Amino acid sequence: MKIWAIVSDFPKVTETFALANVQAFRAAGHAADVFHIKPFRSGEIVHPEAQGIVDQAFHLGYAAPRTLGLALMGLARSPLRALRCVRRIVGAFWRQPRHLGVSLMLVPQGLALGQAARRAGVDRLYAEFAGYPATVAWVASRTSGIPFGFSAHAHDIFITQGLLATKARDASFVRTISEFNRRFLVQRAGVTQDKIHVIRCGVPAERCDTPLPVAPADGHPFRILFVGALLPRKGVDVLLKALGHLPKSLNWELWVVGGGSQETALQAQAAALPEGRVKFLGPQPSDVVRAAMDEAHLVVVPSVEGEAGRSEGIPVVLMEAMAQGRPVVASRLSGIPELVEDGLTGRLSPPGDAHALAARIEKSLTSYETAVRMAAAGQARVRADYDIGRNAADLLALIKGD
């Protein structure tokens, strides 16, 4: 089977699950490639195992001659369906000018993609996100006749629910990553319950073979690790505030892996903490991230709800940390409690509450044997429910219509 997976930004180091799915489709013997809506992100780190997929990914410029030519072919082939798509978009977003403008701008790309897919003999279109990628896939499917389905992760459904019910009705399936998202789609977006399938993201099962950590030797600090984009919704500023509330007698250091718009401000904030305690390592490839987790005593994911509903789903970094047997502290947000069960597989903290986060971190480090027992339970949870091979196979079965 030939499958085209549709994303917005590509490659994107924070969306490794999208590449992992395509890798799994290829491993199962299918011809799978990535179509990215926006221009190629040439400055992004590419993990070595994904290089082949990245090299073969493709893009159609918004107003490039080839795009417009294929779009005209799609319009000529299915004029009424194309016009109905435009009408649906206008009806969904007429009160949201930004979403209306972007969605209409994507119609030619959707038309062009549909015709390119027909020419290439594509059997299925799969959008990795419920927002603009699903809109492009929907237009392509409606005007080419190629079935499509899409996944719903986090802010792709939280920011706006416009057009979601329409896309879900026409899709072969809607996959989402958490029960939280399933309830949201039914209650807030009007998606029918029977169309939605909960299939988690995940990590390779062999990652769960990592030995559990031990407390540092006397005189050595507990190493706390944050991995992620340095953006407001990631809550790194809250983490730094929390560290300032820890007892002076507690010996700790923080490694921050990632980059983003807040980096300079966060470095300035960290300067108020004891010198040398916080190290900013910048964005790193997957092997370096994995090694950093191996050396960590605690991984903290202090996410908060971002602007205009931008929020986490279930961060892959949590799955990776728990697979490697690291104790975790995370925010009680969105679908995170389905993975981090407070007091059983890790500790949860109210989003944005620096004092509460400090208390959870202190408890984890001062009762480290208990934290490691939770980490063992978390490792078992990931092995049972967040195996990327098994979950990608379930997703592939949906795409194939099995």
Side-chain angles (χ1 to χ4, degrees):
M1 176 174 285
K2 196 165 193 175
I3 303 165
W4 280 0
I6 302 159
V7 300
S8 286
D9 296 284
F10 189 80
K12 196 171 185 181
V13 73
T14 55
E15 295 175 3
T16 53
F17 52 84
L19 280 165
N21 284 333
V22 175
Q23 286 174 306
F25 301 160
R26 287 187 174 187
H30 300 282
D33 287 299
V34 173
F35 170 82
H36 49 101
I37 294 171
K38 297 180 182 179
F40 187 81
R41 293 163 62 99
S42 56
E44 197 80 356
I45 289 176
V46 176
H47 302 318
E49 65 272 17
Q51 191 64 57
I53 294 171
V54 171
D55 290 342
Q56 294 171 19
F58 65 103
H59 163 73
L60 292 169
Y62 296 109
R66 180 167 181 253
T67 304
L68 297 178
L70 287 168
L72 288 173
M73 290 176 58
L75 181 61
R77 184 177 185 274
S78 302
L80 292 180
R81 289 190 172 187
L83 292 174
R84 285 179 190 137
C85 287
V86 171
R87 187 178 66 187
R88 291 279 188 182
I89 289 170
V90 173
F93 295 122
W94 65 276
R95 292 182 176 178
Q96 299 173 280
R98 179 180 174 277
H99 292 294
L100 175 61
V102 175
S103 298
L104 289 175
M105 184 177 70
L106 293 177
V107 170
Q109 208 174 59
L111 289 167
L113 180 66
Q115 298 315 298
R118 286 183 68 247
R119 287 182 169 187
V122 172
D123 300 290
R124 296 288 190 276
L125 298 170
Y126 165 63
E128 191 61 73
F129 296 93
Y132 297 134
T135 298
V136 170
W138 171 64
V139 173
S141 174
R142 294 293 293 166
T143 54
S144 70
I146 300 171
F148 88 107
F150 64 88
S151 283
H153 289 269
H155 59 262
D156 53 333
I157 59 174
F158 300 150
I159 291 176
T160 178
Q161 294 78 55
L163 206 63
L164 262 177
T166 296
K167 289 185 285 193
R169 182 199 64 211
D170 292 338
S172 302
F173 66 88
V174 177
R175 171 273 188 123
T176 193
I177 63 164
S178 67
E179 293 292 344
F180 179 94
N181 282 4
R182 186 209 290 267
R183 293 191 296 271
F184 186 95
L185 287 166
V186 172
Q187 296 167 7
R188 296 283 299 275
V191 179
T192 58
Q193 179 88 17
D194 61 351
K195 186 62 73 77
I196 306 170
H197 304 261
V198 176
I199 299 176
R200 311 287 186 179
C201 289
V203 295
E206 60 270 18
R207 203 157 185 161
C208 295
D209 297 331
T210 308
L212 296 171
V214 296
D218 290 344
H220 291 80
F222 283 96
R223 181 167 296 162
I224 303 167
L225 178 66
F226 169 86
V227 178
L230 303 186
L231 301 172
R233 66 178 181 271
K234 296 297 185 177
V236 186
D237 58 328
V238 181
L239 172 57
L240 293 174
K241 289 177 187 175
L243 295 176
H245 296 313
L246 293 178
K248 292 183 179 179
S249 59
L250 190 58
N251 192 7
W252 59 268
E253 65 179 7
L254 171 68
W255 283 12
V256 178
V257 177
S261 61
Q262 279 201 308
E263 185 167 0
T264 301
L266 291 171
Q267 288 175 339
Q269 184 183 351
L273 294 169
E275 186 177 357
R277 291 283 188 98
V278 181
K279 298 178 181 178
F280 288 84
L281 306 181
Q284 298 294 334
S286 58
D287 56 336
V288 176
V289 173
R290 182 165 183 168
M293 284 189 178
D294 277 341
E295 297 177 29
H297 297 99
L298 179 70
V299 176
V300 181
V301 181
S303 310
V304 299
E305 184 169 335
E307 184 181 2
R310 288 185 176 272
S311 182
E312 301 279 19
I314 303 180
V316 174
V317 67
L318 268 176
M319 302 172 205
E320 293 173 340
M322 292 169 70
Q324 290 180 230
R326 302 306 102 173
V328 298
V329 175
S331 294
R332 190 185 298 275
L333 184 70
S334 184
I336 290 174
E338 295 174 34
L339 173 61
V340 183
E341 191 172 347
D342 194 29
L344 180 60
T345 62
R347 287 189 167 92
L348 292 173
S349 181
D353 188 333
H355 284 93
L357 181 59
R360 270 61 166 190
I361 293 172
E362 181 182 356
K363 188 70 171 176
S364 297
L365 300 184
T366 57
S367 303
Y368 199 63
E369 287 185 5
T370 300
V372 173
R373 284 199 296 272
M374 292 182 194
Q379 195 174 49
R381 173 71 57 83
V382 172
R383 189 188 298 274
D385 298 332
Y386 294 84
D387 177 347
I388 185 62
R390 185 166 58 245
N391 293 350
D394 290 344
L395 174 59
L396 179 59
L398 279 183
I399 293 172
K400 291 166 59 180
D402 293 348

